[in-house]
Amino acid sequence: MYALNDYDYHLPETLIAQTPAGQRDASRLLHLSRHGGAIVHRQFHDLAQLLMPSDLLVVNDTRVVPGRLHGHKETGGKAELLILDYGTSGATETGNGQRVYHCLIKASKQAAAGTRIHFAEGLVAEVRDFVDGIYTVAFFAPGSFDALLGRIGRMPLPPYIKRDADQPDDTDRARYQTVYARHQGAIAAPTAGLHFTGEILDALRRKGVTTAAVTLHVGYGTFVPVRVEDIRRHRMHDEWYSISAETAAQVNQAKTEGRRVVAVGTTSVRTLEYAARKDGRVPSGSGRCDLFIYPGYRFRIVDAMITNFHLPKSTLLMLVSAFAGRETMLHAYHEAVRERYRFFSYGDAMLIE
């Protein structure tokens, strides 16, 4: 149960979704009972029929930053840069409008301190430091950095979604973002939320389902593979989160009244469970979440979850295995492969209850 290979499964590359479904709610939904393991194949637009009127649905309202930049060094070599901590306390700004961020840089060779990278519209980045694979970079923008990034930055799609640097970004800008995204700061989308539409949210409200939001800015750690054979030795990268007083009150009232808390995505699950006290109540506040959930974890808040299909040997697969049981979850994944579900960020969804 704690060996990394216990969370492996075979996935044909053809099932890795490269583009979103034609409509957000046109994706498929695998409905899994975590108690008996029963599986029913549905469509995501069936969700309002499946949730209970008393349920509290908790979403992650983080907004993905178009923080991937393509440019060139002064030597002429190409360089790709990804801002890691936009919108969090990790970034600093000087009096002259200069921004300093932690970044990843992909180039033909490591960028030394002092290296300058030029981007469109006069944006320039200068490398200040390099520690443990992360660069400290100062940006110099002619005018508003935020507006400039919004124009020339690209969505930071995960590496298994293939795009050319000169390929139009319009579809990804719209679809790699939830319809309820509010607080900018993530480098990856909370992908379980990509299936929701305004119509589905309205249908849930009409049924009586209430909705609350937490914020967790999905960070670089979401792409970092587990490199230890005993998963208990893995350490998560921390990510900034916030829970408002209103959301905390909604969650605590639901738990007091015996109503279900249904988390949308593993990020919402981790936020709620990290913040939960031993008495099963959630306080408001913000901080850094580094909770690693794997089998043996006892859930205090979350009663059901909506999630996508995750990479083999990933911490996300370990989390859902902790919730539903490893054998139950791997059986569901094998069934999804057999039924040719679409996997990963732009893929299909699962409701586990």
Side-chain angles (χ1 to χ4, degrees):
M1 182 167 63
Y2 300 125
L4 181 59
N5 285 334
D6 289 341
Y7 300 90
D8 197 10
Y9 67 93
H10 172 67
L11 178 68
E13 189 173 347
T14 55
L15 297 185
I16 301 175
Q18 295 296 311
T19 58
Q23 301 292 328
R24 288 180 183 269
D25 60 356
S27 53
R28 299 167 72 187
L29 180 69
L30 189 150
H31 186 192
L32 173 67
S33 167
R34 64 183 176 127
H35 301 295
I39 293 173
V40 180
H41 302 292
R42 298 185 179 270
Q43 299 296 125
F44 196 83
H45 53 66
D46 296 332
L47 185 64
Q49 304 170 27
L50 302 175
L51 296 188
M52 302 177 184
S54 58
D55 286 342
L56 173 65
L57 189 75
V58 180
V59 303
N60 180 6
D61 65 3
T62 188
R63 188 170 184 84
V64 182
V65 179
R68 174 163 278 145
L69 295 161
H70 294 274
H72 62 275
K73 295 183 287 186
E74 292 181 328
T75 57
K78 293 182 179 180
E80 179 183 319
L81 183 149
L82 175 62
I83 298 173
L84 298 180
D85 52 0
Y86 182 99
T88 74
S89 58
T92 57
E93 182 169 0
T94 64
N96 62 359
Q98 171 187 321
R99 294 284 187 92
V100 180
Y101 291 106
H102 294 112
C103 303
L104 298 179
I105 297 177
K106 183 189 297 183
S108 58
K109 63 179 181 179
Q110 181 179 321
T115 298
R116 293 172 73 87
I117 304 172
H118 296 262
F119 304 100
E121 298 192 27
L123 178 65
V124 178
E126 182 178 286
V127 175
R128 294 287 174 81
D129 199 5
F130 179 73
V131 178
D132 295 334
I134 306 297
Y135 292 87
T136 301
V137 178
F139 290 87
F140 305 88
S144 168
F145 176 84
D146 299 309
L148 183 56
L149 187 67
R151 291 194 300 272
I152 71 172
R154 296 175 66 91
M155 296 301 275
L157 299 176
Y160 47 76
I161 296 179
K162 309 301 181 183
R163 297 286 187 273
D164 294 329
D166 57 354
Q167 189 172 346
D169 194 45
D170 296 344
T171 297
D172 293 321
R173 278 178 177 262
R175 295 297 299 277
Y176 196 63
Q177 200 82 269
T178 65
V179 297
Y180 45 73
R182 295 292 181 269
H183 303 291
Q184 190 147 282
I187 71 162
T191 55
L194 297 179
H195 308 281
F196 283 85
T197 63
E199 291 76 15
I200 285 183
L201 292 170
D202 287 342
L204 290 169
R205 279 190 284 269
R206 288 194 299 270
K207 185 168 185 177
V209 175
T210 51
T211 304
V214 297
T215 304
L216 183 135
H217 290 327
V218 187
Y220 170 54
T222 193
F223 298 124
V224 175
V226 178
R227 295 189 173 94
V228 291
E229 291 304 317
D230 185 336
I231 65 171
R232 293 171 293 184
R233 296 174 54 209
H234 178 71
R235 294 294 176 264
M236 299 284 286
H237 287 240
D238 60 20
E239 298 161 310
W240 186 88
Y241 80 92
S242 179
I243 299 175
S244 68
E246 179 183 6
T247 291
Q250 287 179 278
V251 172
N252 292 332
Q253 183 177 357
K255 301 306 291 185
T256 298
E257 295 174 353
R259 296 186 288 117
R260 298 196 310 173
V261 173
V262 181
V264 177
T266 57
T267 58
S268 299
V269 173
R270 291 179 57 244
T271 302
L272 292 170
E273 294 294 328
Y274 177 81
R277 300 192 309 232
K278 290 182 179 180
D279 62 1
R281 297 184 67 81
V282 172
S284 61
S286 61
R288 311 288 302 190
C289 172
D290 62 356
L291 178 62
F292 176 26
I293 296 177
Y294 56 87
Y297 178 83
R298 182 177 179 181
F299 289 81
R300 293 174 176 161
I301 304 298
V302 175
D303 303 296
M305 73 174 74
I306 297 165
T307 185
N308 278 20
F309 293 91
H310 306 296
L311 276 72
K313 300 183 179 181
S314 65
T315 60
L316 307 181
L317 180 55
M318 295 166 195
L319 183 153
V320 294
S321 295
F323 190 68
R326 187 184 68 87
E327 292 184 1
T328 296
M329 186 54 57
L330 288 177
H331 172 72
Y333 269 56
H334 291 316
E335 178 72 5
V337 169
R338 190 178 70 82
E339 293 292 328
R340 301 196 64 78
Y341 276 68
R342 287 156 45 92
F343 276 65
F344 305 162
S345 295
Y346 274 150
D348 294 315
M350 178 185 292
L351 169 63
I352 311 172
E353 59 179 358

